[in-house]
Amino acid sequence: MRVAIAGAGNVGRSIAQELIDNGHQVMLIERQPKMLRPDRVPAAEWVLADACELTSLEEADVAGCDVVVAATGDDKTNLVLSLLAKTEFAVPRVVARVNRAENEWLFTEQWGVDVAVSKPRVMAALVEEAVTVGDLVRLMTFRQGEANLVEITLPPTAPYVGQPIHAVPLPRDSALVAILRGKRVLVPSPDDPIEAGDELIFVCTAEVEDEVRAVILGPDSVERTRGSR
């Protein structure tokens, strides 16, 4: 892929290096001359420009990118770039960094954002994922498809413990995509049994999250978990 990343700070450079290591072509866009450090990621194309200026994005050929990542430390900049990338240059995939939790509600497809990555939300989700058993934890939201990546760690009392996956009546618009069992990552197949302590990773729409919770943890789990909050 050809990927444009706006913001050449620690976050932007780390993303760039990871993508380059995976064989992708990366362009880093930075508006502050003092942050222009090609020696830090020498395999990237470096561009000194303001990512909020239409002419700068045209000169950088953002229209030829498969993905734009708005990774600056300023939410306003990330929103403007996301909107321009999607509406003016028809970039297929726009990923935006959310710096302040109170701004997260703005990072939607109306602003051109396909995936919003909120550091506070991700950190909270990782904390919950590490300590929560018997509840649904939302790990990530995919805005364009209105789908969420969610995790449930199975308690011994879960109704389908010991039964094969094909016996679990998941609702429409949900899919079990991985099982984390100890140090192993399992690709689910219909005849695999699920075990207590398994971390089940689902992709589902927000509308069916409660249904997934009810199926996996039992019909009373929705009211029980809401009542404990």
Side-chain angles (χ1 to χ4, degrees), residues 67-70 81-83 85-86 91-96 112-116:
V67 183
V68 163
V69 181
L81 172 58
S82 298
L83 187 62
K86 185 64 72 176
V91 175
R93 193 74 165 166
V94 177
V95 179
V113 179
D114 296 311
V115 179

Side-chain angles (χ1 to χ4, degrees), residues 63-84:
C65 292
D66 301 291
V67 183
V68 163
V69 181
T72 79
D74 183 79
D75 285 343
K76 294 189 293 295
T77 297
N78 292 343
L79 281 172
V80 171
L81 172 58
S82 298
L83 187 62
L84 290 175

Side-chain angles (χ1 to χ4, degrees), residues 6-18:
N10 291 331
V11 173
R13 293 198 307 269
S14 297
I15 297 169
Q17 190 60 63
E18 187 76 19

Side-chain angles (χ1 to χ4, degrees), residues 206-229:
E207 289 75 15
V208 302
E209 281 185 3
D210 281 348
E211 294 179 54
V212 171
R213 182 190 282 111
V215 168
I216 300 300
L217 298 173
D220 64 337
S221 62
V222 177
E223 291 303 321
R224 186 174 65 247
T225 53
R226 284 176 178 170
S228 66
R229 292 172 181 171

